Every structure is written in structure tokens, then in C-alpha cells.
């Protein structure tokens, strides 16, 4: 197991923070703004829009997807830069 380098640390921090802001942070903003909590606009019987979400759902979704893409990229970077270990080495084991 190797230590994380600075690129991986920054990527993990940015990806995790982006996902948390998209889900938790903007969710709290929606709750503090009051009802309705849904992602779609609320209409009355006449079809008029009477309430809309505070934060556009496309922004929240975009932040979460961006965070997941960054985390996936960190995983690919880790796979590409991690050296391989030798598995064909024989080790002596004493029997009981």
C-alpha cells in the first residue's frame, strides 16, 4: 500500500467536497428556504407556476456528477501510477 500523493489528495478533497455540497449543502438551502421541497415547480389548478425550487435541480445534479467524475478520475490516476508488486516470490513457511 502506498501513500497518497498531492494530486490524489487534492482530487479526493475536491470530488468529495463537490458531492457533499451538491447533496447536503444545497439540500439544506432548499429546506431553509421553506416549502415546497420538491425538485419540480408546483402548479395550481389553472396550471400557473406558484412555487419553484430555490436551487435549480440541474445545478445540484451537475455538482454531484462533477464530483463523481473527479473521484473516478482519481481512481484511474491511481491505477495508472501505482507500481505492480511481484507475486511470484516464494516464501518459506514452516509446518506445524
Amino acid at each position: 500500500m502506498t501513500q497518497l500523493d498531492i494530486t490524489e489528495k487534492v482530487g479526493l478533497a475536491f470530488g468529495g467536497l463537490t458531492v457533499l455540497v451538491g447533496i447536503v449543502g444545497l439540500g439544506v438551502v432548499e429546506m431553509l428556504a421553506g416549502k415546497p421541497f420538491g425538485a419540480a415547480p408546483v402548479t395550481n389548478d389553472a396550471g400557473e407556476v406558484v412555487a419553484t425550487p430555490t436551487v435549480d435541480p440541474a445545478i445540484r445534479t451537475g455538482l454531484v456528477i462533477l464530483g463523481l467524475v473527479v473521484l473516478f478520475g482519481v481512481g484511474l490516476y491511481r491505477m495508472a501510477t501505482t507500481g505492480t508488486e511481484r507475486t511470484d516470490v516464494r516464501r518459506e513457511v514452516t509446518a506445524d
Side-chain angles (χ1 to χ4, degrees):
M1 183 175 199
T2 61
Q3 295 292 324
L4 297 175
D5 62 6
I6 190 69
T7 306
E8 293 168 333
K9 287 180 183 178
V10 169
L12 289 174
F14 179 73
L17 183 65
T18 307
V19 170
L20 283 175
V21 166
I23 295 173
V24 178
L26 295 180
V28 169
V29 168
E30 286 289 333
M31 289 181 62
L32 292 176
K35 292 189 178 188
F37 299 125
V42 177
T43 58
N44 61 11
D45 292 336
E48 297 175 300
V49 175
V50 293
T52 58
T54 306
V55 179
D56 187 22
I59 293 173
R60 291 184 71 182
T61 305
L63 282 173
V64 173
I65 290 174
L66 175 65
L68 293 176
V69 167
V70 169
L71 292 174
F72 182 70
V74 170
L76 289 178
Y77 173 79
R78 178 86 175 187
M79 283 184 358
T81 59
T82 302
T84 59
E85 296 180 19
R86 288 187 53 188
T87 58
D88 60 348
V89 177
R90 291 183 175 227
R91 293 189 179 99
E92 291 187 26
V93 178
T94 57
D96 291 334

